[in-house]
Amino acid sequence: MCGIFYKSNFYTKTDEKRFIKACNLLNHRGPDDYGFLFNQEHSFGHKRLAIREVLKAKQPMSILNDHLIYNGELYNQDDLLPKLDAPLEFNSDTLLLLKLLMKYKEDILKELNGIFAFVYTHLDEVLIVRDMFGVKPLYYTLYHNDIIVASEMKSILAYTNERVVDKEGLCELLGMGPSHSQSKTVFKGIYELKPGHYLKFKKGQSIEDHTYYQLEAKPFHLNYEETKNRVRYLLDKAIVRQMVSDVGLSTLLSGGLDSSIISTIVAKNKEKLDTYSISYEKSEFKENAFERSKDSDFTHLVSDAIGSVQHDIVTDNKTLVEGLRKVVLMRDTPGMTDIDSSMYYLTEAIRKDHALSMSGECSDEIFGGYPWFYEKKRKLTTFPWIRNLDYKESLLNEKCRSILKLKEYVMKEFDMAIKEAPTLSTDSKTTIRDRQLTYINIKYFMTNLLDRKDRISMESSLEVRVPFCDKDLVDFLYNVPFKYKYKNKTEKKLLRDAYKGTVIDEVIERKKSPYPKSNSKEYHEEVVKLLREVLEDKSSVLYEIFDINKIEDILNSEEELEVPWYGQLMRKTAFLAYLYQIDYWFKTYKIKLEIE
């Protein structure tokens, strides 16, 4: 939606040329307009993607000594407007937010419902805020005691010219990656503001980190029918209010339950709808425990039923391979390999005709759709999507194994995470486990998917909204018993029943299938070729981290990894591509490795 860049001038004067150059790295986030403001105490940069009030709402927005740079959308403007003493001069959630902050300061944050990241200043006071679930990114660092804040790390890296990965960063990259621990990044000294948190910073004082939103455990008394109706009401409301824009709207349609619900409701409230799906060239479908059916068998059924114009986007293997490098530059780190590069190809196609789209992300985390929620009800002992950790650790060279202690690092983060999960004293052991699992999925797995969605779609200057990540819906579902969500041995039965009769039966009955990945032999061979070329260079950072003989063994073997090394689908080809991305990232970003 937008890109923001900020630096305080309390201790060091801003180099305005360098600031503008660093902010310009966010041009893809805001191709429609830009603005800079430099005063004695603050430096602001803004890149705008105009979705509402296209000709107004310029940023930075200022009223006397109050300034705001903002990336996001408020979905409950009608509820917030009466809190002001007078009507707005024009219809803008930026202006609304600025006036609310001037009147209420941080006390207004708990009233907001939307996706946002912003910096607000009043005289020498700085307020830095991120939305409840981390839909919009926000990073910060201390630089000679001043604070620098940006939508993407690339702007911080460009201004400070400090690019160091230390022991903790490697643990994030190899242990938690491609997800990450709360507040941490792979770069030394750069932090991500936690979702639902805000920072206060004032000259002469240290940074204060505060929580303004957190999930809350409450007793639940509704029966199944009442719960189903409430889900339908909350999700319908979220979808419709997120449709509001002054530009065209499209949807991502996989033919799965989540995207089909969104597309169906949007189509009911819109005269014409374009829907988009992604598939892979020369990729043979292979049914497995996670993938039970092809998306293409369902997308046209849904499109025909709702009357949308369906666009089938097919990515070729050359594009996927080239994308492995491009997406590293988008995320500023290695990521989810071909799943990322195909998403970029899809968003580029959508952006030719639309600046706004909707996606079904976040449903599985709140409705318990992943297999680890319901399969065998095994004891919760680690992050269930971080797979093969012992195996990954065994691939490190002796020095890195002894220094990093990957498993110990990941388990420390996991133990802290499950202790944070809100519970009731009356909860059973099973209910506590269900709450803990939901909590860590929202705080870790979901944020990784949201990071990916934002960084890749915004590279295409495409805003993608996620109605399942609505505050009211998530708050409600955190307390819904899992026996309602998983019923009759059917995942997300509650959601299926809520939309039975609205969404076509074929989709209501379809087994969950994740975002598709390539199964092309040609793509695999290209990845192997790239990694072999990397290993010819003995100065590659891979030699500093891994036992290269073991990496060579994987390259030479035709055996598949027994279980994914991350998530549901990331097996051997994805792991090799991740190694390739690590090498490319270190070389391109000129990163210094500190693990002594």
Side-chain angles (χ1 to χ4, degrees), residues 195-454:
H197 281 235
Y198 67 92
L199 302 179
K200 290 185 74 174
F201 185 59
K202 190 173 181 179
K203 188 174 183 178
Q205 298 180 9
S206 58
I207 296 175
E208 298 176 5
D209 188 334
H210 300 269
T211 303
Y212 73 88
Y213 168 83
Q214 55 190 351
L215 292 164
E216 185 179 349
K218 299 177 182 178
F220 193 83
H221 302 297
L222 300 183
N223 62 32
Y224 186 78
E225 190 68 21
E226 292 167 332
T227 304
K228 182 185 73 174
N229 292 337
R230 184 65 178 167
V231 164
R232 175 65 186 258
Y233 167 77
L234 290 173
L235 184 52
D236 276 4
K237 183 179 179 181
I239 295 169
V240 171
R241 69 183 173 190
Q242 291 190 29
M243 289 178 62
V244 177
S245 75
D246 294 335
V247 298
L249 171 68
S250 61
T251 65
L252 279 68
L253 177 62
S254 69
L257 180 65
D258 311 325
S259 64
S260 297
I261 289 172
I262 291 172
S263 297
T264 300
I265 300 304
V266 170
K268 283 177 178 286
N269 291 275
K270 194 175 185 299
E271 192 170 320
K272 180 193 172 189
L273 176 64
D274 288 307
T275 51
Y276 293 82
S277 64
I278 187 73
S279 60
Y280 301 89
E281 175 193 58
K282 300 177 183 177
S283 180
E284 180 184 346
F285 177 75
K286 298 176 182 178
E287 185 175 343
N288 55 52
F290 300 106
E291 296 173 291
R292 300 297 180 86
S293 54
K294 291 190 295 185
D295 287 351
S296 57
D297 291 341
F298 294 86
T299 50
H300 282 273
L301 289 175
V302 176
S303 177
D304 290 345
I306 66 177
S308 71
V309 179
Q310 171 62 17
H311 304 264
D312 299 313
I313 309 302
V314 181
T315 180
D316 60 84
N317 291 308
K318 181 181 177 183
T319 299
L320 274 186
V321 171
E322 291 174 348
L324 292 176
R325 295 183 289 274
K326 291 179 180 179
V327 293
V328 169
L329 305 180
M330 297 173 204
R331 298 186 69 158
D332 296 313
T333 65
M336 298 179 76
T337 63
D338 62 298
I339 298 176
D340 284 351
S341 52
S342 67
M343 173 60 71
Y344 177 54
Y345 190 73
L346 174 61
T347 57
E348 283 280 276
I350 297 173
R351 188 58 177 93
K352 291 175 183 176
D353 296 303
H354 298 278
L356 180 63
S357 196
M358 278 193 189
S359 174
E361 260 89 358
C362 309
S363 171
D364 291 308
E365 288 82 3
I366 60 176
F367 282 97
Y370 297 119
W372 49 73
F373 274 99
Y374 53 84
E375 280 189 347
K376 300 178 183 177
K377 277 288 184 178
R378 56 182 176 270
K379 189 176 180 182
L380 187 58
T381 57
T382 189
F383 298 110
W385 52 86
I386 296 179
R387 318 289 288 274
N388 262 343
L389 193 54
D390 288 326
Y391 177 69
K392 281 196 289 184
E393 198 164 32
S394 74
L395 298 178
L396 302 178
N397 60 38
E398 188 175 342
K399 176 183 175 182
C400 279
R401 263 202 315 275
S402 62
I403 292 175
L404 299 184
K405 297 181 172 58
L406 283 187
K407 192 169 185 178
E408 183 180 310
Y409 182 90
V410 173
M411 288 308 302
K412 184 178 179 181
E413 184 71 19
F414 171 76
D415 290 340
M416 180 195 72
I418 60 170
K419 288 173 184 174
E420 287 180 351
T423 60
L424 295 174
S425 59
T426 54
D427 285 344
S428 66
K429 286 184 179 180
T430 300
T431 301
I432 290 173
R433 176 198 178 275
D434 292 336
R435 287 194 191 276
Q436 290 173 335
L437 190 50
T438 299
Y439 181 83
I440 63 173
N441 270 266
I442 290 172
K443 291 290 184 176
Y444 292 83
F445 198 67
M446 189 170 90
T447 52
N448 181 42
L449 297 181
L450 290 171
D451 281 348
R452 162 183 172 255
K453 177 71 72 182
D454 174 88

Side-chain angles (χ1 to χ4, degrees), residues 104-143:
Y104 298 102
K105 298 296 189 285
E106 62 266 31
D107 292 340
I108 196 61
L109 299 180
K110 61 182 181 296
E111 306 290 333
L112 306 181
N113 188 341
I115 53 176
F116 47 80
F118 61 84
V119 178
Y120 163 72
T121 66
H122 171 72
L123 298 175
D124 66 344
E125 298 176 355
V126 186
L127 189 68
I128 303 159
V129 184
R130 192 177 182 203
D131 66 58
M132 292 75 65
F133 306 112
V135 179
K136 290 292 141 190
L138 204 59
Y139 299 92
Y140 68 96
T141 191
L142 279 178
Y143 182 69

Side-chain angles (χ1 to χ4, degrees), residues 412-567:
K412 184 178 179 181
E413 184 71 19
F414 171 76
D415 290 340
M416 180 195 72
I418 60 170
K419 288 173 184 174
E420 287 180 351
T423 60
L424 295 174
S425 59
T426 54
D427 285 344
S428 66
K429 286 184 179 180
T430 300
T431 301
I432 290 173
R433 176 198 178 275
D434 292 336
R435 287 194 191 276
Q436 290 173 335
L437 190 50
T438 299
Y439 181 83
I440 63 173
N441 270 266
I442 290 172
K443 291 290 184 176
Y444 292 83
F445 198 67
M446 189 170 90
T447 52
N448 181 42
L449 297 181
L450 290 171
D451 281 348
R452 162 183 172 255
K453 177 71 72 182
D454 174 88
R455 224 54 42 83
I456 292 171
S457 64
M458 289 304 295
E459 180 68 27
S460 304
S461 303
L462 175 72
E463 168 70 16
V464 178
R465 295 179 181 172
V466 279
F468 282 100
C469 208
D470 178 79
K471 175 183 171 184
D472 296 338
L473 181 64
V474 176
D475 283 346
F476 177 72
L477 281 162
Y478 186 71
N479 292 292
V480 171
F482 187 71
K483 65 181 180 181
Y484 284 6
K485 299 176 184 179
Y486 182 76
K487 196 176 181 186
N488 299 336
K489 296 184 178 181
T490 304
E491 85 279 353
K492 293 160 68 171
K493 187 71 163 67
L494 175 63
L495 183 60
R496 295 174 190 275
D497 286 349
Y499 283 89
K500 191 171 184 179
T502 299
V503 174
I504 60 172
D505 289 344
E506 290 90 340
V507 168
I508 293 294
E509 295 165 6
R510 184 188 180 191
K511 179 76 176 172
K512 173 185 161 45
S513 197
Y515 181 91
K517 69 176 301 299
S518 175
N519 291 313
S520 166
K521 183 179 179 182
E522 181 181 303
Y523 169 70
H524 172 78
E525 290 172 349
E526 282 298 314
V527 169
V528 169
K529 179 182 175 183
L530 285 173
L531 189 54
R532 287 194 190 281
E533 290 173 357
V534 164
L535 295 181
E536 289 175 4
D537 176 12
K538 297 297 191 292
S539 68
S540 169
V541 71
L542 297 182
Y543 280 87
E544 296 184 56
I545 299 171
F546 294 96
D547 181 334
I548 297 301
N549 289 329
K550 292 183 178 179
I551 302 301
E552 292 277 8
D553 288 342
I554 300 174
L555 283 169
N556 294 329
S557 171
E558 294 187 4
E559 292 184 12
E560 179 58 275
L561 296 182
E562 189 174 337
V563 297
W565 65 275
Y566 182 84

